[in-house]
Amino acid sequence: MCPRLRHALCRGATIRPPRLRVLPAMNRIATYAAALALAAGAAAGLSACGSSSSSSSSGSGGSKPAAAADTVSLKSVSGVGTVLVDSKGFALYSPDQERSGTVRCTGNCTAIWVPLTLSHGASGATASSSLMSKLGTIMRPDGKTQVTFDGKPLYRFARDGSPGKVTGNGVSDQFGGRSFTWHVAASGKTQTTTPTTTTRGY
């Protein structure tokens, strides 16, 4: 034991451990480490909040698909009355020659008088409750299912051009040696326009 230490012990002096000197560089390193830790924690919190907000927004803000329009519905047409229209608003017609439910309009006839048929996979025609009782279907020669109203097959007149027009009511024409007289389909009485006779089709 060194003389100085022995002398201190003999006198009962308290021995203090040497003081550690913290260099300025070490202080700066500790400060930087703490700042980086705080920044990482804040970034993680913001990321979590953003993810939660995004998922919540996509869940509540998504638009629902629009409901499909009925196969057949009613529309009031000035000068004609309340007529049957398809899902796009085009007036529907039937020829007198198909009142029995037998399809006669085939071939070139369907280029002018377009059959109202069900889309592939459709279980049946749809309409309001006031029309459903008179709606039905019939199988066409080409295998497609055509919609009928009160037993008569329904067609759209290609020359109407746009929804809401009725230009084929009372028209008479001929296709493949077969004559037809067309009337707009309605749930009540309509005003018949002046018939237009065509002997060779359109």
Side-chain angles (χ1 to χ4, degrees), residues 44-194:
L46 288 174
S47 175
C49 291
S51 174
S52 175
S53 175
S54 175
S55 62
S56 175
S57 175
S58 63
S60 60
S63 59
K64 296 180 180 179
D70 285 333
T71 311
V72 176
S73 58
L74 292 173
K75 183 179 181 64
S76 179
V77 177
S78 179
V80 181
T82 303
V83 304
L84 268 65
V85 297
D86 64 9
S87 60
K88 296 181 179 179
F90 284 93
L92 297 170
Y93 303 80
S94 289
D96 292 341
Q97 291 73 19
E98 292 186 357
R99 285 183 176 178
S100 62
T102 302
V103 174
R104 298 180 184 274
C105 178
T106 58
N108 292 337
C109 179
T110 61
I112 302 299
W113 300 96
V114 184
L116 177 63
T117 57
L118 295 179
S119 58
H120 180 70
S123 58
T126 60
S128 63
S129 57
S130 61
L131 298 177
M132 277 302 296
S133 61
K134 292 187 177 182
L135 280 187
T137 57
I138 189 173
M139 186 69 70
R140 291 186 57 80
D142 60 4
K144 294 181 180 179
T145 303
Q146 186 171 1
V147 181
T148 64
F149 182 73
D150 206 13
K152 296 177 289 187
L154 296 174
Y155 298 81
R156 176 174 61 85
F157 188 36
R159 292 201 168 187
D160 276 348
S162 61
K165 287 189 175 181
V166 177
T167 63
N169 195 24
V171 167
S172 294
D173 49 22
Q174 189 178 77
F175 299 93
R178 293 178 176 176
S179 297
F180 299 90
T181 301
W182 301 83
H183 297 286
V184 67
S187 59
K189 293 183 179 180
T190 60
Q191 301 176 27
T192 304
T193 57
T194 303

